[in-house]
Structures are given as structure tokens and as C-alpha cells.
Amino acid sequence: MKHDVTVKNKLGLGTAPLGNMFRDVPEKEAMETIQTAWDEGIRYFDTAPFYGAGLAESRLGEILSSYKRDDYLLSSKVGRIVLDEKEEKEGLFEFGRQNKIKTDYTEAGTLKSIEDSLKRLKTDRLDMVYVHDVSPDFLGDEWITKFDEARNGAFKVLDRLRDEGVIKAWGLGVNTTTPIEIALELEHAHPDLSLSATQYTLLQHERALERMMPLAEEKGGGLVIGSAFNSGALLGGDFFDYKEITPEIKRKVEQFTHVARNHGVNLKDAALQFSTAHPAVKAVVTGSTRPDRIKEDLQAMTATIPAAFWQELIEMGLVSPKAILPGK
């Protein structure tokens, strides 16, 4: 039994940066960001044990636990369990907590992950649960084996929890399109809401339009879009899809910037509206540690963007003619 999920303003707060992704975020700054999101009307919050080895969940729980649970939507992820054992960290979350993380997509691991998340979040339930990073970008050649583990473990238990009304929806939370496509076509699992990060964005969407977006519509599997700016690349950042930006991507961003300037368009406005224009998309989650960015994101959703801007992007080959554009 599938449930429809409606997100206010089609905008949520993604909390990967609050797990100290790329830098050590002061506690005060993290708390202000979450509080500002609430004060500005954000009522959907997405997190994961992976974000700083539980740090993002704990920070989110500190703020949200003071509000009525029925007043907001909350999603977290399964597939990784935070252990008490410590280790030196490197990579995305080298500034997060030093706890070791174990990858586990089994039924027991899924239930343990949810139980631990509920404690860190200081809540009695999750609304949506995503199976996290069961994907080649994180697992390499092992990803098919781990996908099978999830299919026989996490997928089954999450199907049951949704059908029992314990959660509203479940799906995958990944940075590639293939796992979502495969999951949507399974006979014995029924994901109804997946989080697709980096793949349906203004800067990168051709692959998603081939199969993921049509399948999501056909199978009734909604999507939440993450990393709509591709780790900040579109807005002039140094990272693209969580890695150092390449000269090729920089040149593409310069083209977008040039067209936007000619039409008086803010690229953040265009990016958020593009990612939410497709009918399969329920929301976009944006991550930040800067409280002032929250208001910018909300304003972006209703900014006026001339049709000529989109037309020029299509003519330049920067946007696919198959894309569903804002206002259409």
C-alpha cells in the first residue's frame, strides 16, 4: 500500500553539511541553521547516520524535539550503523564524529539503524526511510552484492513497515540513477519515494530523463531531489558531486552563468525551480550551514524566470529539450 507524501513549499532541509561535511561547523552555527529553517516555515527535514557518524541526526533532534511531531516530516536512512569504536576519519566527513561506521543492509541491520536514529533524533518515528548509497559510486564492484542484500533485507522490512503504517514511504537514497531504476522494476519490493542526489539538476539531467524519471512516473514512485547545485558547483563552488570540480564542469558553469546574467536570472532560482518542475518530484532538499541561505531558497521557489532564459539554454544544448520546464 503506497502513501502520497506532500511537502510544504516543495522544499526541505538536507542536513549533510550539519554533519561537518568538508569543514568543522560550530555547534551554534548548526543550531541557528536548523532553527532558521523552522522559523522560515520549512517542515521537511532529511538526515542520515552517515552524516558525521550521527552528528547531523543529533543536532537535528536537539531542535525538532521541542516541536509537535505531527507538525513536520522527517526522513533518515538505513544501510550504515554507527559503532562505538573510534577511528581516524578522512573524506567527506573527516570533521565529523570519529565513530566507525558499518555497512549493513540486512533486515536486522535496518531495524537497528532505525532504532539508533530514533534515539539520536529524540523522536518516536520516521516518516520516510531511504536505503542509503547502495550504489556503485560508494560500493564499487560490490554494489550488486549489497543491492541483493538490501533487496532481501532492507527492502522487505521497509515494505512491511510502510504497509503497517509505521512509516509513510520508503525508497533509495543514492547519487546514481541505476539503483533507483532497478528498484522501481522489482516485483517483490515497492519503493514509493526515493531521494536522488546530483542526478536531476540543471547542470546534470540527461541520464535521469532516459529512464529514472519516466519510470518514477509509470510506477508511481515519487522523487526527492538532493544536491540540486551539484555540491555547489553551479553556484561557483569548488566541488562537483562531492569531488573537486573539473575544468570541463567549470566551463559549463560559466556558460550557465553567462546566460543567466543576460536574462537577469539568479542561477539558484533556476536550479531549484528546474529540479521541482517534473511531476514525479515531490520536493528538493537543500543543505546549508548558513542561516541566511534558507530564506534565499524559499524565495527562489517563487522567483519569476523568463521563458527566453530556458529557450536559450535549450538552444545552447545546456538543457535537454525533453526536460519539463518550470511554468509548463
Side-chain angles (χ1 to χ4, degrees):
M1 187 170 81
K2 296 194 173 188
H3 298 268
D4 195 31
V5 174
T6 302
V7 177
K8 181 184 176 185
N9 301 317
K10 271 197 163 184
L11 187 66
L13 180 70
T15 61
L18 300 175
N20 286 1
M21 185 167 70
F22 299 131
R23 72 184 183 95
D24 190 357
V25 180
E27 194 75 5
K28 183 173 183 288
E29 188 178 321
M31 296 297 112
E32 283 181 4
T33 299
I34 301 166
Q35 188 61 58
T36 299
W38 182 274
D39 293 344
E40 292 293 336
I42 299 292
R43 292 296 181 268
Y44 171 39
F45 300 85
D46 175 68
T47 190
F50 184 52
Y51 302 160
L55 179 59
E57 287 186 318
S58 295
R59 284 173 162 173
L60 194 56
E62 283 299 315
I63 299 293
L64 293 185
S65 59
S66 61
Y67 295 103
K68 282 178 60 180
R69 184 60 186 83
D70 290 345
D71 289 348
Y72 61 91
L73 290 171
L74 180 61
S75 61
S76 192
K77 305 181 181 76
V78 297
R80 293 188 176 98
I81 296 172
V82 181
L83 305 176
D84 291 333
E85 186 182 346
K86 303 292 179 67
E87 66 177 355
E88 283 292 316
K89 290 294 177 92
E90 57 182 26
L92 286 179
F93 294 103
E94 65 176 296
F95 299 105
R97 290 174 175 166
Q98 299 298 297
N99 300 67
K100 259 190 168 180
I101 292 179
K102 174 187 172 186
T103 301
D104 188 337
Y105 297 103
T106 65
E107 177 173 347
T110 297
L111 293 171
K112 167 69 172 164
S113 180
I114 292 173
E115 180 185 348
D116 291 348
S117 289
L118 293 177
K119 289 175 184 173
R120 287 189 290 266
L121 288 161
K122 297 184 176 181
T123 186
D124 62 349
R125 69 185 186 275
L126 298 171
D127 296 297
M128 295 90 85
V129 177
Y130 304 119
V131 182
H132 206 189
D133 290 332
V134 58
S135 173
D137 59 318
F138 268 94
L139 300 171
D141 293 340
E142 196 186 8
W143 91 270
I144 292 292
T145 302
K146 286 296 184 183
F147 190 93
D148 279 341
E149 181 178 285
R151 181 171 56 84
N152 293 307
F155 293 6
K156 286 184 176 179
V157 72
L158 292 174
D159 243 6
R160 187 178 77 237
L161 291 176
R162 185 206 45 225
D163 292 348
E164 291 172 353
V166 177
I167 60 176
K168 286 186 170 70
W170 75 272
L172 277 64
V174 290
N175 305 323
T176 59
T177 61
T178 302
I180 292 175
E181 293 161 5
I182 294 173
L184 284 170
E185 293 191 293
L186 291 174
E187 285 185 26
H188 303 296
H190 308 92
D192 45 7
L193 187 68
S194 290
L195 197 160
S196 173
T198 75
Q199 295 300 303
Y200 193 68
T201 69
L202 191 57
L203 199 52
Q204 179 168 260
H205 53 267
E206 294 270 5
R207 173 66 195 268
L209 283 169
E210 287 175 18
R211 289 194 72 234
M212 185 175 75
M213 306 309 283
L215 264 177
E217 277 196 283
E218 178 193 334
K219 303 289 186 180
L223 294 167
V224 171
I225 303 302
S227 197
F229 315 128
N230 294 95
S231 304
L234 186 69
L235 306 182
D238 297 325
F239 295 92
F240 172 76
D241 290 2
Y242 312 109
K243 296 175 184 173
E244 193 172 334
I245 194 168
T246 63
E248 181 187 359
I249 297 296
K250 277 189 176 180
R251 284 192 292 273
K252 196 172 180 182
V253 170
E254 285 168 6
Q255 289 180 290
F256 273 105
T257 303
H258 177 73
V259 177
R261 192 178 296 122
N262 285 349
H263 292 275
V265 170
N266 185 319
L267 271 179
K268 174 181 271 195
D269 301 350
L272 292 180
Q273 290 191 31
F274 177 86
S275 287
T276 51
H278 196 285
V281 176
K282 301 294 184 180
V284 62
V285 290
T286 57
S288 179
T289 56
R290 312 290 189 193
D292 56 327
R293 300 277 166 79
I294 308 294
K295 190 175 288 189
E296 280 181 15
D297 294 347
L298 281 163
Q299 291 171 343
M301 302 296 281
T302 56
T304 300
I305 298 176
F309 166 77
W310 300 111
Q311 188 57 41
E312 185 170 347
L313 291 180
I314 290 172
E315 289 170 0
M316 291 180 68
L318 293 171
V319 163
S320 169
K322 296 178 183 177
I324 295 173
L325 300 174
K328 296 292 185 183

